[in-house]
Amino acid sequence: MITKAKLKHKDRINLNTFIVLCIALMSLTTSCDSAKEQNKIPVYAWVGGPGESTDTEIKENFEDLKAKGIDVLMYNGGQNPEVYKRVGKIAKSVGLGFHTWIPTMVQGRKDELKPEWYAVNRKGESAYDKPAYVPHYTFLCPSKKGTQEFLSNMYRKVAAVEEVDAIHLDYIRFPDVILARGLWDKYGLVMDKEYPAYDYCYCDTCTTSFKEKSGIDILSVEDPTQVTEWKQFRYDLITNIVSLLTEVVHSEGKQINGAVFPGPNSIAKKIVRQEWDKWTLDAYFPMNYNDFYLEDTKWIGEVTKEAVTSLDNKKPVISGLFICPNPKNKTKENDPENHGLLPEELEDAIRESMENGAAGICLFTPNRMTKEHWEAFEKAIYKTY
Ligand SMILES: [Zn+2]
């Protein structure tokens, strides 16, 4: 009896000690986790869907991304608000931020959009039936009332969805009047100046409105590429679209941000007419895709610094990073779309971004990340820069 009682007592002590130890360990790991989380840099990711995926499949994918360290999705799911409601609910249930990634000036042909609302190049060809470079380059003209109304209504409906935290604009620009250097070979072009086929918009609305404003008849100018006012006029057309959409989205109580070309001065203004340091967005996601410009990871730091400085450090800059999907084949690949950061470059790219003032990074795309990329990524994101 005594022995048994003693044993019982001893067991109880052991059990109590065990419980105390467990609690101590649990709080230790929790505090380790929260310390780890506190040092974590914000990570965004461009992703698309949902295709034919079921809710369970979407949830599993989102849980996986969350576990890997992604905080916010820039989700491309078309223009139907119902899709964003469904997918946004799942994103929220796993603790992810949810921004809708929807192209702006590039719009496919559809009944709602009149052919005359599309942009016209210096040769007089419309992007509606003769798009530059690739078939999907069906850019709208920013001057047209129809364009403005279509975009306002489309983004307003999506911003009104409860699960949507922010609208993410993309293709908020003119077609590339100059292609990024890394793309010249792919398209067999030497873009040493602004050529007529890629120079937009010379529609009646744009040219008339410019004449009223400046007194210059751009159609009668021998070399329009030398007219500074004409360049500024077109930067302003895009800036005005951004202002309009900012008002629409803010009136729904949501944030608005956008994917932009690096710069703005070094690249964005020159090649796609984005004077984005004048814009009204809540955050900027420069696509610091070094391989497209035949540059290295050090350049990512330089353009991040330019972005942060241009915005006077007043708005967050999230550095967009382009991932190489098949690192072993990179040197054999001719198409820059298959280039991008190798696993051994990723830590450097993240460090360059963060040390130069970025408020986070954005991956293009998680699907392109290999096992080796994720390993390098984990080392780089739980750090104070
Ligand atoms: Zn126009």
Side-chain angles (χ1 to χ4, degrees), residues 196-348:
Y198 313 103
D199 185 15
Y200 292 82
C201 177
Y202 289 77
C203 80
D204 286 351
T205 315
C206 285
T207 51
T208 310
S209 156
F210 178 62
K211 195 174 176 189
E212 279 164 13
K213 218 170 204 163
S214 67
I216 303 167
D217 176 9
I218 201 65
L219 296 173
S220 67
V221 172
E222 194 177 331
D223 186 1
T225 69
Q226 300 307 308
V227 181
T228 331
E229 296 94 326
W230 179 226
K231 281 197 165 66
Q232 187 61 50
F233 176 79
R234 289 173 294 170
Y235 301 149
D236 293 345
L237 288 180
I238 299 295
T239 300
N240 293 343
I241 294 279
V242 173
S243 302
L244 171 73
L245 297 178
T246 302
E247 210 180 304
V248 165
V249 174
H250 281 175
S251 75
E252 293 295 332
K254 300 298 171 67
Q255 295 241 313
I256 181 167
N257 53 53
V260 293
F261 273 50
N265 290 305
S266 60
I267 294 172
K269 273 171 82 174
K270 286 182 198 157
I271 77 175
V272 288
R273 311 204 193 282
Q274 288 178 324
E275 193 177 28
W276 55 259
D277 51 331
K278 302 267 176 71
W279 293 2
T280 46
L281 299 179
D282 298 305
Y284 295 80
F285 290 64
M287 297 174 279
N288 296 332
Y289 301 169
N290 55 301
D291 278 287
F292 282 83
Y293 304 93
L294 310 178
E295 298 282 359
D296 57 12
T297 53
K298 199 167 168 12
W299 173 90
I300 294 177
E302 290 162 14
V303 283
T304 301
K305 192 174 202 146
E306 185 191 346
V308 172
T309 313
S310 304
L311 295 166
D312 271 342
N313 223 345
K314 284 183 181 140
K315 292 289 165 67
V317 169
I318 312 297
S319 179
L321 303 177
F322 196 77
I323 305 296
C324 179
N326 195 348
K328 286 190 189 85
N329 280 356
K330 181 172 168 177
T331 48
K332 287 174 236 150
E333 277 285 354
N334 290 324
D335 189 349
E337 303 281 348
N338 293 323
H339 292 173
L341 295 163
L342 300 168
E344 57 268 34
E345 293 173 314
L346 188 55
E347 272 187 270
D348 254 356

